[in-house]
Amino acid sequence: MGENIFVGIATWLRGLLSGAGVPDMWNDTILLVVKLVAILLFILVNALWLVYMERRVCAFMQSRLGPIHVGPKGLFQTAADIGKLLGKEIILPKGADLLVFLLMPVVIFIPPLLIFGVLPFGKNMVAIDMNIGVFYLLAIASLSTIIFWAAGWASNNKYSLVGGMRSVAQMVSYELPLILALLGVIMITGTLNLNTIVDSQKSIWFVFTQPIAFLVYLIAGMAETNRTPFCLVEGESEIIAGPYTEYSGMGFAMFFLAEYANVMIISAMCTVMFLGGWLAPFGLDFIPSWLWFFLKMYLMIFVFMWVRWTYPRIRVDQLMGFGWKVLVPLALANIFVTGVGMYIFRAIGWWS
Amino acid sequence: MKTETYTLNLGPQHPSTHGVFRIILELDGETVVKATPVPGYLHRGIEKLAEARTYTQVIPYTDRMDYMAAMLMNWGYVAAVEKLMDIEVPERAEYVRVIVGELSRIASHMIATGAYGGDIGALTAFTYTFRDREYVLDLLEMVSGSRMTFSYFRIGGVAADLPEEFFPAVRKFLGELPAMCDEYDGLITGNEIFQARTKQVGIITPEMGINYSLSGPTLRGSGVNYDLRKVRPYGIYDRFDFDVPLGQNGDCFDRFRIRIDEMRQCKRIIEQALDQIPEGPIMAKVPKVIKPPVGDAYAEVESSKGVYGCYVVSDGSPKPYRVHFRRPSYINLGYLGKLCEGWKIADVIAILGSIDIVLGEVDC
Amino acid sequence: MADYNIPAELMEALKGKFSGIEIMENGDVIVPAADLMAFMTEIKENPDTAMDFLTNLTASDYKDRLETVYNLVSITHGYTLTVKVKLEDKENPQVPSLCPLWDGASWQERETYDLMGIVFTGYPGHPTRILLDDNFKGHPLRKDYQWEGGREA
Amino acid sequence: MFGQGLIKGLQITWGRMFDKKQTVKYPFEKIEMFPRYHGRFELDVDKCIACGLCANACPNKVIQLEKEKVDKKQFLTKYIMRIEYCLFCGLCVEACNKDALKFSNIIDMNQYRRSWVRLTLVDRPAPEPTETPEEETPAKEAKSEAAAGQAPGKEG
């Protein structure tokens, strides 16, 4: 029933527009803009909700209740916080590179926005069905490194600078195992199209055939999103808030929301690549595919939060050592095993 | 590659300096070349204030030094005045002192444990220890009426007897304490990331520890068996059977672990004290206006941070002529600069946290 | 209360070595400033006393003199000892620094200098203020220190 | 080693998720304070003999009291506690021989202005010396109550 609700809306809108005599070319453009605006709204609303969820999960793990007063069960707490932050003065540090300083909190939202365009949220539910989806996704995802770094540099603060430098080192180092982990999946499917990758998990999810890749991806993903145990970029007990130290009011909130957008991307990508995307497990088809996607995504996000509120932070040299000495060889070994496995399976004819 | 060093001002406003405390770090990349600790942001001149107060009126000020274990701070001062006046404290008062003192030590070690977890990044540990500390504070509130600055000790005894409802409550708490300690062990001590962060970091050798006059868990982490309660038992500590946990390597991990072990030993002491506590008065016969004879006295107690000493000089008037507090945090901090050299920024936080300072005590 | 003073015969031996020292009834030792360094070195290095732990270092301002107080502990033997140095010159009090013997003296001497104004000669560099501001005038724990201000009536 | 500690930690936090929560929704539900709790001060004016022991016992000179001599007895006219300097050590309560000064269980002493923090426990004029105290006391009492009520900082 709810399966094609979004597809239905799109068809209805298209029909409405062509009914009104809009030419086909404009029709497509308008539909694309509508889709992008919807995605932006989706990211923002989701990020707000995730902040709330993080606070609740964290509170529950710490024997507390968390926000409970604003709205039912404190649901509007983050909205109220955003309202408060909007009213705050934006303090401009002396000697800061103002253009870069003020631009970065806005620019930080561009990579998530670009990425969400290609993610398949459900059956036939993808804004832009791209042939090189995975490649595009990884390319855009690494853009945020430079934004963090620029924000740190422009702040004219030593904590920010240390944080920015850490972010570059960390993100570049962990990009490699992240990509190498995905390579196993891509070798099996032989495609970079996200929809096709989801489709090819019909018989078995890749989390079962590629467990090591999944683990490497999970760890590298935590590092990519700067979350504990890899939250060195913020490292609040060491370098205050890293690149965000000098940001106040909404500037800080933007970084904060972008962090959650990034978490969403990593989880969504994990869902697509390893957890079968929008595919329903155990034949539970009566739940719409997009709901399955979100369920899996939130499960992953919960895992991220769970880990965050359990583990301490790793040190910067240990981080680099772990990335290069453990994760990269592990990912490479996984690729090797996958390759050999594919050859053997093909030879005995279990897999075409 | 030739690189230049730069100076980073860690504090006085920093989340993990445990108060207002500044370390000027000279850094090469992330590696510390030179660290200069700068205390004094919380200096209130308690020693000078004490000279204008009567002997009893100084007691509330001692609370404000190590406000995490205020009972023990009271004890040191009171012990010095009692030594000066040669007062015999009644048996029951001694037992009450031991019970509340050890409870205070548990509260202080819980903060140290949780705050250290927080320093390393495990914020959940922080809330767990604070949650459990509330039980201790409840007990101490029951006894003294305050939750943090108790002012419970008096010269010659304690302010009030233990209330009836205290005994079942403290037994209940002690019953739960091992489970609490196990939880901290499971969440922090056993964690591999935590161990990677703290093992072999900031090593204090026994020789250096003694040379720098360190005391408390900071010194015992290096394996030096120097606990006043065992070495020179004051009060009635010679009647209790307990162990002194010692570390082997003198690294941050040992210093941290000892505190959890000490909490377990505190439980043993309190249980024995509860079993042995006699009936009787809780105050010695002390004149209304306390006028110690001319002279001076130095008394020490083992506070949660280390050896807490108090030097009192009397000129025969009702006001102390001179009071000096030997604050363990302050002297333990003296080694910080040397200890941090060659480690990363994150290690500076780990080392500072493992020393477990309270700035109220450092600056006095 | 057990007694942790140094045995009398050891004190006698010390008295024989340093004629200037004076042993009080309660076991405290008063050492002239000139002998302090030699005395401290002796009791630290001598294995019979082995006063290896400098617990406390402070000073007190009396009418006619300043007095530095050192509380020493032997971790090996369990002895405690209080050493005092009388400084008659209140205008320019000077006492040898114990930093060469114990690094733990460093911060305590800085504190004593800061609050009491006693200069420790031989301190690596000059002792600097530690608790108070570098530009602070005077030494507040001196009895003649006057401070104007405070809270309103 | 090898991740056992990591899994143990996850187990602990997972277990705590479904545990009893410690939060007390403070303004709506309150914890009972213990009888000895050092809360707001209360002065029983009838018992007070204006001896000034509490003011002497205070280490921080928090208590200011004014008294007048009425018919050979000290009459307390003003009793002000400057709570902003109070250490809540309880030495004043302990010093009180007549059991007049006591701690209550009221914890909310916070005010919007610093000047409001001052706690005026008694503020009343002295009775005329010629009048007989038997008739006058109840009326004066009511007056003093009203005066104390008006004084800022009376109610949290």
Side-chain angles (χ1 to χ4, degrees), chain B residues 40-63:
Chain B
Y41 289 89
L42 202 58
H43 180 64
R44 294 148 295 177
I46 289 179
E47 290 176 9
K48 187 75 182 175
L49 285 172
E51 290 173 10
R53 308 278 184 291
T54 65
Y55 279 92
T56 312
Q57 284 177 353
V58 177
I59 294 171
Y61 289 91
T62 59
D63 282 335

Side-chain angles (χ1 to χ4, degrees), chain B residues 75 91 94-99 102 229-230 233-243 265-278:
Chain B
W75 199 345
E91 284 274 291
E94 289 277 23
Y95 276 98
V96 173
R97 282 181 179 188
V98 168
I99 291 168
E102 293 300 319
R229 293 173 296 171
K230 271 272 191 254
Y234 53 93
I236 47 162
Y237 271 109
D238 44 354
R239 298 180 199 175
F240 303 120
D241 173 35
F242 65 99
D243 301 324
Q265 299 301 326
C266 288
K267 171 181 181 271
R268 285 176 66 189
I269 296 173
I270 298 171
E271 274 173 349
Q272 291 171 44
L274 285 172
D275 291 339
Q276 296 174 15
I277 187 165

Side-chain angles (χ1 to χ4, degrees), chain B residues 119-190:
Chain B
D119 283 346
I120 301 293
L123 284 167
T124 301
F126 190 70
T127 49
Y128 283 3
T129 52
F130 267 71
R131 177 196 66 202
D132 297 341
R133 175 174 170 262
E134 288 299 309
Y135 297 119
V136 188
L137 296 189
D138 278 345
L139 293 170
L140 294 174
E141 184 197 330
M142 218 182 267
V143 175
S144 69
S146 300
R147 292 185 78 82
M148 211 156 97
T149 49
F150 309 109
S151 307
Y152 178 62
F153 284 49
R154 294 289 179 273
I155 291 153
V158 290
D161 205 347
L162 297 175
E164 263 319 300
E165 69 264 28
F166 175 78
F167 294 97
V170 73
R171 295 249 186 219
K172 181 167 171 287
F173 167 75
L174 291 178
E176 287 163 3
L177 185 66
M180 293 170 186
C181 291
D182 287 345
E183 190 173 81
Y184 311 150
D185 272 341
L187 193 65
I188 322 174
T189 321

Side-chain angles (χ1 to χ4, degrees), chain B residues 155-325:
Chain B
I155 291 153
V158 290
D161 205 347
L162 297 175
E164 263 319 300
E165 69 264 28
F166 175 78
F167 294 97
V170 73
R171 295 249 186 219
K172 181 167 171 287
F173 167 75
L174 291 178
E176 287 163 3
L177 185 66
M180 293 170 186
C181 291
D182 287 345
E183 190 173 81
Y184 311 150
D185 272 341
L187 193 65
I188 322 174
T189 321
N191 191 300
E192 277 85 359
I193 299 173
F194 178 80
Q195 290 181 2
R197 278 293 305 276
T198 52
K199 277 193 173 168
Q200 302 299 325
V201 170
I203 296 171
I204 300 176
T205 59
E207 296 77 36
M208 283 318 267
I210 291 171
N211 191 18
Y212 269 92
S213 305
L214 309 183
S215 52
T218 314
L219 181 64
R220 291 198 287 273
S222 308
V224 181
N225 191 349
Y226 186 62
D227 187 327
L228 282 187
R229 293 173 296 171
K230 271 272 191 254
V231 182
R232 287 200 300 281
Y234 53 93
I236 47 162
Y237 271 109
D238 44 354
R239 298 180 199 175
F240 303 120
D241 173 35
F242 65 99
D243 301 324
V244 178
L246 293 178
Q248 283 113 36
N249 305 321
D251 52 13
C252 290
F253 181 76
D254 276 352
R255 292 196 281 277
F256 166 82
R257 188 178 51 81
I258 278 176
R259 295 205 175 88
I260 297 183
D261 288 347
E262 263 184 29
M263 279 193 249
R264 296 196 166 103
Q265 299 301 326
C266 288
K267 171 181 181 271
R268 285 176 66 189
I269 296 173
I270 298 171
E271 274 173 349
Q272 291 171 44
L274 285 172
D275 291 339
Q276 296 174 15
I277 187 165
E279 290 299 320
I282 49 149
M283 274 294 275
K285 295 243 175 323
V286 179
K288 263 249 142 70
V289 179
I290 291 167
K291 272 190 188 174
V294 179
D296 58 351
Y298 177 73
E300 285 175 340
V301 295
E302 180 78 24
S303 110
S304 58
K305 314 283 186 291
V307 174
Y308 167 66
C310 182
Y311 178 69
V312 183
V313 182
S314 162
D315 61 347
S317 72
K319 291 178 179 177
Y321 187 76
R322 167 97 171 92
V323 181
H324 173 75
F325 300 107

Side-chain angles (χ1 to χ4, degrees), chain D:
Chain D
M1 243 1 235
F2 302 114
Q4 278 167 7
L6 299 177
I7 290 164
K8 182 96 204 286
L10 287 177
Q11 278 173 355
I12 287 171
T13 39
W14 178 260
R16 281 291 170 197
M17 271 200 72
F18 308 102
D19 225 27
K20 199 178 153 282
K21 300 291 173 270
Q22 305 282 326
T23 307
V24 177
K25 297 168 187 165
Y26 166 61
F28 310 114
E29 51 183 274
K30 286 175 184 167
I31 305 176
E32 190 68 24
M33 290 293 158
F34 292 104
R36 285 183 191 172
Y37 185 73
H38 291 188
R40 210 172 75 130
F41 290 96
E42 266 170 5
L43 182 68
D44 194 338
V45 202
D46 298 336
K47 286 183 184 167
C48 180
I49 54 165
C51 59
L53 276 178
C54 45
N56 276 340
C58 182
N60 241 0
K61 299 187 180 69
V62 168
I63 301 170
Q64 294 174 331
L65 52 88
E66 284 171 22
K67 51 195 174 184
E68 273 176 43
K69 207 158 188 189
V70 180
D71 296 339
K72 293 180 198 165
K73 273 179 85 181
Q74 294 287 5
F75 187 82
L76 183 69
T77 53
K78 212 174 212 181
Y79 194 97
I80 295 173
M81 297 190 90
R82 308 177 71 197
I83 295 296
E84 64 264 42
Y85 299 120
C86 185
L87 297 170
F88 288 91
C89 58
L91 288 177
C92 50
V93 176
E94 210 174 295
C96 188
N97 284 333
K98 298 288 171 189
D99 229 13
L101 188 65
K102 265 185 254 160
F103 281 115
S104 69
N105 279 352
I106 300 165
I107 57 166
D108 42 355
M109 282 167 282
N110 41 355
Q111 302 287 352
Y112 281 104
R113 299 247 168 103
R114 189 179 158 85
S115 53
W116 296 354
V117 174
R118 192 165 300 187
L119 188 67
T120 309
L121 288 171
V122 176
D123 190 0
R124 58 180 180 182
E128 292 300 317
T130 46
E131 286 166 6
T132 45
E134 284 87 49
E135 291 167 50
E136 272 303 311
T137 315
K140 289 289 170 202
E141 269 312 306
K143 218 175 192 177
S144 78
E145 287 276 326
Q150 279 161 15
K154 171 80 178 170
E155 291 305 321

Side-chain angles (χ1 to χ4, degrees), chain A residues 95-143:
Chain A
D97 189 337
L98 280 187
L99 180 72
V100 182
F101 183 78
L102 292 175
L103 204 59
M104 284 310 137
V106 184
V107 174
I108 192 77
F109 262 101
I110 293 176
L113 186 65
L114 290 176
I115 287 172
F116 269 92
V118 298
L119 282 176
F121 292 109
K123 219 176 266 174
N124 310 323
M125 256 183 72
V126 54
I128 303 141
D129 195 4
M130 210 181 258
N131 255 339
I132 50 159
V134 179
F135 179 71
Y136 168 85
L137 204 142
L138 292 169
I140 301 290
S142 40
L143 268 181

